[in-house]
Amino acid sequence: MSGEELVIRRIKKVRKGGHHGGAWKIALADFALAMMAFFLVLWIINVASPEELTAIEGYFNDPLGPSTAGFSASPIDLGGSPAKSNERKLDLDLPEPGSTNLQSQEVKRGEGNDGKEIERMNALLEQELKRQGLMDSEESNMRIEITPQGVRITLLDDPTKPMFERGSARLMPDTENVLLSIGAILTELKNPISISGHTDSSPYVNETENDNWDLSSSRANAARKILEEGGVVDKRMAQVIGLADSIPYNRFDPASAENRRISITLLTDEAYKKMLDINRRNFGEQYQQEDLHLVPEVVF
C-alpha cells in the first residue's frame, strides 16, 4: 500500500434551476415596444383624414420647418409649429398659435356648402338671375348646372351677340353688365370660385403671335376682374385658367360658337380641398434632383 500513488479526484457540482441572466427579457421588451409602435402607426393612418395625412407627409419631406406648400413643422401639431395649450383635448378645427397663414386662409376660403346646400345655392342663383332678366328663356346663352365640383355658371358665346370683341379679351358692354350682376349675386355666398376660359377649335394667331391658349387665359382673367368689380373678394378666387379648345362644350362640333365660353364654378369644400391637394403635389413641393430616379429609356 505504501508504494501506491495517491489519486485525488475533483468533482465539479453544477446547480440546476439557477439564474440564467435577463438578456432575453430586454430583447422581448424591445420587440413588444416595436410591435406596439407599429400597430399605433397603422391605427393613425387608418383614422387620419386626407388633410392630416398630407400634413404628416409634409413633415417628413420638410422636418426643419414649414415648406412653401403650407405643411406643418411638427408631426403632432398638424396646424403649424408646436404651441402650448391649457386644454387637454385635440381640436383640429381651432386655429393654433404659430399656424401658417396659408392653412388659415385655406380654412377660411373652404367654407363652401356641400350636400343639400348645393341645391339651395343653385336655386338661389337661378332665382336671382331670372329676377334680373338674365335667364328669360331656354334659348339664353347662360347655363347653370350642378357638377361634382359645385354649381357652374356658363356663359356661351352667340354669333349674333358676342361676349368679346373678335380675337380679343375686351368684353362687350352687355357681357360686362351680366358679369357685374353675377358678381353682386355671388357676394351673398362664401364658396371659393374657379374661372375657366374656352375657345373653339378655329386657329387664332394675331400679330403678336398669341394663340387660343393666350386668348382663353386673357378672357378668363378679364371675367375675374369684372366679378371683382361687382363685389367678389379677390381672396375667393381659387383658380383662373385658360383651356383653349381642349374641353369643347359641343364635342360633336369643335368649331361651334358655344365652345367659346366662360365658366364660373362655385366650388364645394371637397372639390376645393382636392384641388389644393393636387396643386400642392404638382407645383408646391420642391424635389431635389437625387430624389428623381429617371431612366433614359423612360424619359425618351
Side-chain angles (χ1 to χ4, degrees):
M1 295 295 291
S2 60
E4 296 181 359
E5 295 182 359
L6 179 64
V7 178
I8 299 176
R9 185 180 181 183
R10 296 180 180 180
I11 301 175
K12 184 177 180 181
K13 296 183 179 180
V14 179
R15 295 181 180 180
K16 298 181 180 181
H19 183 67
H20 291 275
W24 67 272
K25 297 179 181 179
I26 298 177
L28 179 61
D30 291 341
F31 176 75
L33 180 61
M35 291 299 296
M36 183 182 68
F38 174 70
F39 286 110
L40 182 61
V41 170
L42 292 181
W43 175 78
I44 292 176
I45 293 176
N46 185 52
V47 301
S49 65
E51 292 77 17
E52 294 169 357
L53 292 177
T54 302
I56 295 174
E57 177 187 354
Y59 167 77
F60 286 103
N61 289 333
D62 188 11
L64 298 179
S67 66
T68 56
F71 292 120
S72 171
S74 170
I76 303 300
D77 174 25
L78 300 178
S81 58
K84 295 182 178 180
S85 175
N86 296 327
E87 299 184 7
R88 297 180 176 273
K89 64 179 182 177
L90 180 63
D91 189 352
L92 297 178
D93 294 332
L94 295 177
E96 294 289 345
S99 298
T100 59
N101 293 330
L102 178 59
Q103 288 187 328
S104 300
Q105 182 179 1
E106 171 184 332
V107 174
K108 184 179 295 184
R109 292 171 62 184
E111 293 178 347
N113 301 318
D114 296 326
K116 295 182 179 179
E117 292 297 326
I118 297 180
E119 298 181 359
R120 185 193 67 84
M121 181 169 52
N122 181 71
L124 174 64
L125 289 172
E126 287 187 352
Q127 178 181 356
E128 289 297 322
L129 292 173
K130 289 180 179 180
R131 186 179 63 84
Q132 298 185 22
L134 301 178
M135 294 184 64
D136 295 332
S137 63
E138 295 294 333
E139 288 75 21
S140 174
N141 64 339
M142 182 183 298
R143 303 284 188 271
I144 297 183
E145 304 163 292
I146 296 179
T147 71
Q149 286 71 38
V151 179
R152 182 177 63 195
I153 304 173
T154 304
L155 300 179
L156 305 173
D157 199 13
D158 185 351
T160 62
K161 196 176 181 181
M163 295 189 299
F164 295 88
E165 293 184 3
R166 182 175 179 82
S168 170
R170 188 185 300 275
L171 285 161
M172 302 298 287
D174 290 341
T175 308
E176 187 172 336
N177 292 333
V178 170
L179 288 173
L180 287 173
S181 301
I182 293 176
I185 297 173
L186 296 183
T187 57
E188 303 178 14
L189 304 169
K190 302 300 181 182
N191 302 66
I193 299 173
S194 172
I195 303 176
S196 60
H198 306 262
T199 65
D200 57 24
S201 61
S202 302
Y204 161 75
V205 177
N206 62 4
E207 60 276 5
T208 59
E209 297 185 357
N210 291 336
D211 55 16
N212 282 337
W213 291 102
D214 301 294
L215 183 61
S216 60
S217 301
S218 299
R219 288 181 172 181
N221 199 42
R224 174 192 64 83
K225 293 179 180 179
I226 299 301
L227 289 178
E228 291 179 2
E229 290 183 13
V232 178
V233 182
D234 174 69
K235 298 298 182 182
R236 289 181 59 190
M237 297 299 175
Q239 184 172 256
V240 180
I241 58 175
L243 296 173
D245 61 334
S246 61
I247 307 177
Y249 193 81
N250 184 353
R251 60 190 179 90
F252 298 103
D253 185 8
S256 175
E258 58 186 350
N259 290 327
R260 302 190 297 268
R261 65 194 190 279
I262 296 293
S263 293
I264 304 167
T265 304
L266 297 175
L267 300 171
T268 63
D269 283 345
E270 181 180 1
Y272 173 67
K273 293 176 181 178
K274 184 180 296 185
M275 181 192 71
L276 284 184
D277 182 65
I278 294 175
N279 288 342
R280 281 172 178 166
R281 294 178 182 274
N282 291 340
F283 313 112
E285 299 181 24
Q286 296 181 358
Y287 292 97
Q288 298 181 358
Q289 185 174 358
E290 56 267 23
D291 295 335
L292 300 177
H293 303 286
L294 299 180
V295 181
E297 289 79 4
V298 177
V299 178
F300 302 101

